[in-house]
Amino acid sequence: MEEKKHNEQDDLLTNQQGHPVTNNQNVRTVGNRGPTTLENYDFLEKISHFDRERIPERVVHARGAGAHGYFESYGTVGDEPISKYTRAKLFQEKGKRTPLFVRFSTVVHGGHSPETFRDPRGFAIKFYTEDGNWDLVGNNLKIFFIRDPLKFPDMVHSFRPDPVTNLSDPERMFDFLSQTPESMQMITFLFSPWGIPANYRQMQGSGVHAYKWVNEEGKGVLVKYHWEPKQGIKNLTQQEADKIQGMNTNHATQDLYEAIEKGEYPEWELYVQIMEDGEHPELDFDPLDPTKLWYKEDYPWLPVGKMVLNKNPENYFTEVEQVAFGTGVLVDGLDFSDDKLLQGRTFSYSDTQRYRVGSNYLQLPINRPKKHVATNQEGGQMDYRTNFDQHKNPHVNYEPSVIGGLKEAGNPGKEHTPYVEGNVTRETIDRENNFGQAGETYRRFTDFERDELIRNLSDALSACREEIQQIMIKMCTKCDEDYGKRIAEAIKQNKENKKEEMDEAVVFAEDAAHPSDPY
Ligand code: HEM
């Protein structure tokens, strides 16, 4: 790490009030055997701050690693000027750089869980643009398990350990997923080698949802984002992951940190897929359905820029832990689509961050925009804004006003005003097509990927009761007959073996060591 310039005084220990700490080894006591005295400010400050070191960990994606870098625009989308589709300023000029912060993560387990788990990987980016922040909060896989946000808490609960025993149990997960047929394509990817990326540098990223781009005329198109690693893509087999996990539970964080320290800056190219805005009745799926791919051959990947990660965080907690991304954080020229999952997410992120980090989480250096912020929002715990000093009339903390204060900004371009009508209802979408693309994914896999999928999925299903296995086999068959047949055969074959192995593991652990107690 680069050494910072400082004078010798900077190395002397102080408390948080700036008082020199002259004795950090002994509490203040009556005589050297105690009792301790309670006016001992240094001790009280130190211990009570320690007592509050933890904040709630993210309810999902708790384990993560982050890095700083920049995005460089190509100024074009494929062969066309990008302004044809979006007026977002960060994209307009070729070579324009926008600083950013990325956080990669695993999803289901806690803040120190191994980074080798079969789990989607989070891929979240905060672009500090001249128009304020843009967050693109995606995953490595290009699709998701569900399309309705109402199901998200149930889904996550089912993936987690049993609330009574605290034991992880695949039966819980498949109990839920067997009743969630829209998850079949995600299951197919997740249990193939694509479910365990080798590290963070060698994985793709995807915005998953259809978003919108809006141009100067206010015209919107649907757009999907994809990140392609210049380091190539690498996934692990279950066996390889198990081996790594036995030696190192931080391998992905370590890999990212060390690559950046060595100056081997990882890069990703950003591609978009573009579709005319609309329902597209000619497709056998709904373009807003996040459980579906837009195939490359129909909607080509068009390069729009690249991302380079060239600086490690200086402090894990203040940057990686406190960073707060959200799908609602868009800039002019970028917009939402009507994807229900996307809209549900957009409430959830800032809501959890007000609880997880605090109501003024946007004032933290990692979260605040790198442009001037001028708001009449005020107060709340830890409000330390200083920007009101710059207002012409800081007495006026409301708007509108003839006396002074902040004024509304003009609209930077023609507003995008999509027309919507319909009955208010609680229904799933018309074109669910839950199995078509999952079957196609199965057929497009290489033999190796298919073999791994069958092995991993049948292993997990072997731990489930027969009723769940039968539903899952039926769903695999609906995707592709061969898929269903092979899963059924593999479950049959390995069910007994697996049970014996699990029982053996318990006995092995029980018998592992018999130390005598000499104390
Ligand atoms: C993190 C909710 C679906 C990607 C989170 C967090 C919540 C959440 C509450 C914790 C945020 C924090 O504490 O800062 C939801 C809900 C979803 C959903 C309600 C569906 C309705 C998705 C999908 C993706 C995704 C589809 C990928 C496209 C992420 C990522 C993070 C995250 C990458 C970690 C962000 C970080 O590194 O701080 N999600 N999520 N989530 N979610 Fe989702």
Side-chain angles (χ1 to χ4, degrees):
M1 288 290 284
E2 204 184 308
E3 274 293 301
K4 286 201 191 102
K5 285 203 185 102
H6 61 272
N7 62 42
E8 298 239 316
Q9 284 293 319
D10 291 343
D11 288 337
L12 299 181
L13 188 65
T14 73
N15 65 17
Q16 295 221 52
Q17 306 283 10
H19 308 153
V21 174
T22 53
N23 186 337
N24 196 34
Q25 319 308 322
N26 303 294
V27 287
R28 205 159 181 231
T29 50
V30 183
N32 63 13
R33 296 185 59 238
T36 54
T37 63
L38 200 61
E39 85 295 351
N40 190 174
Y41 182 85
D42 283 355
F43 169 67
L44 296 184
E45 186 196 85
K46 183 178 177 181
I47 203 75
S48 44
H49 193 275
F50 173 76
D51 293 341
R52 289 164 179 77
E53 270 182 13
R54 293 283 178 270
I55 58 172
E57 66 177 25
R58 287 170 178 79
V59 64
V60 280
H61 294 261
R63 172 88 208 224
H68 297 268
Y70 63 86
F71 174 74
E72 187 173 305
S73 174
Y74 296 160
T76 48
V77 52
D79 300 332
E80 299 183 288
I82 205 160
S83 56
K84 181 173 171 194
Y85 298 103
T86 176
R87 59 186 193 230
K89 291 199 188 112
L90 80 158
F91 287 124
Q92 300 307 313
E93 253 171 67
K94 182 173 165 27
K96 183 182 172 92
R97 288 187 178 183
T98 301
L100 55 76
F101 186 76
V102 175
R103 184 174 179 272
F104 302 115
S105 49
T106 48
V107 182
V108 175
H109 296 285
H112 296 282
S113 51
E115 295 180 305
T116 32
F117 284 154
R118 185 172 300 288
D119 206 3
R121 301 298 191 266
F123 197 121
I125 301 116
K126 187 179 289 297
F127 299 82
Y128 303 95
T129 87
E130 67 192 89
D131 270 346
N133 291 348
W134 170 35
D135 293 351
L136 180 56
V137 199
N139 277 345
N140 64 321
L141 298 175
K142 302 175 193 74
I143 47 147
F144 202 58
F145 294 97
I146 49 172
R147 57 171 84 92
D148 194 306
L150 197 56
K151 290 173 183 245
F152 189 75
D154 294 293
M155 184 190 92
V156 173
H157 287 176
S158 82
F159 291 4
R160 292 254 165 87
D162 180 308
V164 177
T165 62
N166 200 29
L167 293 172
S168 289
D169 178 359
E171 184 169 80
R172 296 167 47 75
M173 178 179 186
F174 283 102
D175 191 17
F176 178 85
L177 292 178
S178 65
Q179 302 306 303
T180 313
E182 66 270 31
S183 63
M184 273 315 295
Q185 176 149 236
M186 188 71 171
I187 293 173
T188 303
F189 274 110
L190 192 66
F191 284 83
S192 81
W194 291 91
I196 317 181
N199 53 53
Y200 293 135
R201 286 181 311 118
Q202 291 172 296
M203 69 177 196
Q204 293 173 307
S206 172
V208 176
H209 303 276
Y211 286 85
K212 278 191 190 178
W213 271 3
V214 176
N215 69 10
E216 209 60 49
E217 284 81 52
K219 183 176 180 294
V221 287
L222 297 175
V223 66
K224 282 205 182 203
Y225 300 99
H226 302 286
W227 295 101
E228 189 69 17
K230 291 203 174 169
Q231 299 69 237
I233 303 169
K234 210 169 161 196
N235 299 320
L236 298 176
T237 63
Q238 188 62 56
Q239 248 186 342
E240 288 166 334
D242 291 346
K243 195 169 166 203
I244 294 170
Q245 191 171 318
M247 299 183 292
N248 186 340
T249 53
N250 317 286
H251 79 285
T253 298
Q254 188 179 339
D255 173 78
L256 179 69
Y257 190 89
E258 289 180 355
I260 295 175
E261 282 305 288
K262 278 190 272 183
E264 292 168 11
Y265 301 142
E267 291 188 22
W268 283 259
E269 197 148 43
L270 180 62
Y271 290 84
V272 294
Q273 292 178 287
I274 294 178
M275 205 190 274
E276 276 296 305
D277 194 7
E279 294 188 20
H280 291 271
E282 75 285 4
L283 298 175
D284 66 358
F285 66 94
D286 191 313
L288 302 186
D289 179 353
T291 70
K292 299 296 185 297
L293 295 166
W294 295 0
Y295 287 120
K296 268 185 186 171
E297 59 268 29
D298 303 326
Y299 301 95
W301 283 28
L302 306 168
V304 294
K306 68 169 184 176
M307 165 170 80
V308 179
L309 300 183
N310 58 6
K311 185 176 171 293
N312 276 315
E314 286 177 15
N315 183 277
Y316 185 83
F317 185 86
T318 56
E319 295 165 69
V320 188
E321 194 59 16
Q322 294 197 131
V323 66
F325 302 92
T327 48
V329 188
L330 300 178
V331 291
D332 182 59
L334 312 178
D335 214 330
F336 303 97
S337 72
D338 292 339
D339 176 344
K340 308 178 200 184
L341 194 80
L342 175 61
Q343 295 175 351
R345 290 180 70 194
T346 294
F347 168 75
S348 185
Y349 288 77
S350 46
D351 178 50
T352 197
Q353 286 147 6
R354 288 184 183 106
Y355 159 73
R356 179 173 75 80
V357 188
S359 56
N360 281 313
Y361 71 103
L362 291 173
Q363 292 183 25
L364 295 173
I366 193 70
N367 293 326
R368 76 177 170 231
K370 295 202 189 303
K371 72 177 283 270
H372 178 59
V373 174
T375 173
N376 290 326
Q377 295 171 27
E378 63 176 27
Q381 279 194 338
M382 305 287 194
D383 178 3
Y384 69 98
R385 282 167 304 142
T386 51
N387 53 0
F388 45 68
D389 300 333
Q390 299 155 21
H391 294 183
K392 266 197 228 134
N393 187 345
H395 298 282
V396 181
N397 59 350
Y398 51 87
E399 192 284 329
S401 157
V402 288
I403 306 173
L406 300 165
K407 302 271 174 266
E408 278 178 336
N411 211 327
K414 204 166 167 226
E415 199 161 337
H416 175 57
T417 55
Y419 180 77
V420 195
E421 67 168 6
N423 291 103
V424 175
T425 175
R426 288 166 181 267
E427 283 173 25
T428 188
I429 55 171
D430 291 333
R431 283 169 287 171
E432 286 194 85
N433 199 349
N434 290 326
F435 308 109
Q437 282 203 359
E440 187 60 24
T441 295
Y442 177 79
R443 289 185 292 276
R444 287 189 187 196
F445 276 165
T446 61
D447 287 345
F448 162 73
E449 287 168 333
R450 255 194 308 272
D451 291 350
E452 282 294 308
L453 163 68
I454 300 296
R455 183 173 309 130
N456 298 326
L457 186 54
S458 62
D459 275 1
L461 289 173
S462 295
C464 302
R465 69 193 63 191
E466 191 161 345
E467 193 186 350
I468 294 173
Q469 289 171 352
Q470 289 309 326
I471 303 171
M472 289 304 301
I473 292 169
K474 261 194 206 139
M475 292 209 295
C476 292
T477 310
K478 282 189 187 167
C479 298
D480 185 287
E481 247 176 65
D482 182 66
Y483 190 1
K485 198 167 129 238
R486 287 188 63 186
I487 284 289
E489 279 166 7
I491 291 175
K492 206 165 142 203
Q493 261 178 25
N494 73 8
K495 205 165 177 177
E496 263 319 297
N497 306 350
K498 197 76 198 165
K499 178 156 180 5
E500 275 167 26
E501 274 172 29
M502 299 276 277
D503 292 347
E504 261 172 42
V506 175
V507 173
F508 178 71
E510 208 176 72
D511 288 349
H514 293 283
S516 58
D517 183 352
Y519 312 110

